[in-house]
Amino acid sequence: LERGKPILVKSFAKEFGIKSGTFKASPIPTRDVSVVDYKGKLLIYDIEYGKEKYKVQAHSTMANCIDGIGGKGAEYGAPELVTGGADGCVRIWDPRQNAPVVSLEPAETEQVKPDCWAVAFGNAYNTEERCVAAGYDNGDVKIFDLKTNCLRWDTNVKNGICGLEFDRPDIAQNKLVVTTLESKFHVFDLKTYHP
C-alpha cells in the first residue's frame, strides 16, 4: 500500500448475522472468506468482488463455529471446512459439493444434545491423515479421525469449551489447547493423550 492512497473495500449484504468465519481453506491467490451464520448456513464469499460463491444449509439451527484447512500453508490434502452447530452436529464440507463429506451427529437416544461450540482441524501432515477436534458446551472434547472415520479420543474438562487449537494443523498431532468458560485452559499431549 502506498501512503495517502485510499483503500477500496468491498462489502456484501447478508440477511442474517455472521457467527464465525475463516480464511484457512482459501488459497492465497483466491482469498475467499468462509462464514457460518445464525440460521445455520455455510457461505463462501469472494472478498475481492463482494459476491457469494457457495451457499448451503449446514445445520438445522444456529451454526456456532467454523475452521478450515487446505489453504495457506497446507501442503497436503484438499481444501475442507468443518462446522459445528447448536444441533450438536459436526460436519466436514468440501466446497465442490453441496452435501457434507462427513456428518458426526449426536445419538438419537440423547435427550439433551450438547451444542458444539468449537472445532479445529489437525494432524494433516500427509495426503491421507487428517483429524477434527470438537468441543461442546457440556465440557466434552472429542477428536475424530477422518482417515478411519472413527472417534480417536474423548475427555471432559467439566466446563463449556470456548476454543480449540492444535499447535500446528499441518504436522503430526502434538499438542491441543482447550479453552473453557471461567478463563480456564488445558493443554493435552496428543502423543499420550495426557493433560
Side-chain angles (χ1 to χ4, degrees):
L1 296 174
E2 293 181 41
R3 270 190 186 296
K5 297 252 179 174
I7 299 171
L8 179 62
V9 177
K10 298 280 183 176
S11 65
F12 45 87
K14 217 179 137 343
E15 188 178 355
F16 302 106
I18 293 172
K19 180 75 170 159
S20 183
T22 185
F23 285 96
K24 290 183 184 176
S26 173
I28 292 173
T30 309
R31 303 317 293 157
D32 294 333
V33 62
S34 303
V35 299
V36 289
D37 69 13
Y38 285 90
K39 290 293 182 181
K41 288 187 175 33
L42 165 62
L43 303 106
I44 299 176
Y45 288 102
D46 180 328
I47 60 172
E48 186 175 351
Y49 296 103
K51 293 188 178 175
E52 183 180 287
K53 292 175 81 173
Y54 179 81
K55 181 178 181 180
V56 67
Q57 187 68 42
H59 296 274
S60 59
T61 58
M62 179 172 55
N64 290 321
C65 50
I66 186 171
D67 192 30
I69 198 160
K72 180 185 178 217
E75 297 175 15
Y76 303 112
E80 287 182 325
L81 295 160
V82 59
T83 61
D87 55 6
C89 298
V90 175
R91 295 196 170 115
I92 290 63
W93 301 89
D94 181 333
R96 299 168 293 185
Q97 299 180 25
N98 286 329
V101 176
V102 176
S103 185
L104 307 162
E105 301 178 9
E108 293 293 326
T109 57
E110 286 188 58
Q111 291 179 347
V112 178
K113 294 181 169 105
D115 285 18
C116 181
W117 281 359
V119 290
F121 275 112
N123 201 41
Y125 62 91
N126 65 28
T127 56
E128 297 174 9
E129 299 289 337
R130 192 170 279 181
C131 68
V132 168
Y136 297 85
D137 65 344
N138 64 357
D140 284 347
V141 178
K142 298 175 187 263
I143 296 181
F144 302 98
D145 187 330
L146 298 179
K147 179 182 176 183
T148 60
N149 205 21
C150 68
L151 180 66
R152 182 181 283 183
W153 176 74
D154 68 334
T155 190
N156 189 290
V157 294
K158 299 180 175 66
N159 217 334
I161 310 298
C162 298
L164 295 167
E165 192 74 37
F166 286 89
D167 52 348
R168 278 184 46 201
D170 58 345
I171 62 171
Q173 64 181 21
N174 185 30
K175 302 282 189 297
L176 177 69
V177 176
V178 179
T179 58
T180 69
L181 298 173
E182 299 177 5
S183 303
K184 295 185 177 163
F185 69 93
H186 306 265
V187 180
F188 293 94
D189 182 343
L190 296 181
K191 292 177 182 163
T192 59
Y193 296 108
H194 190 272

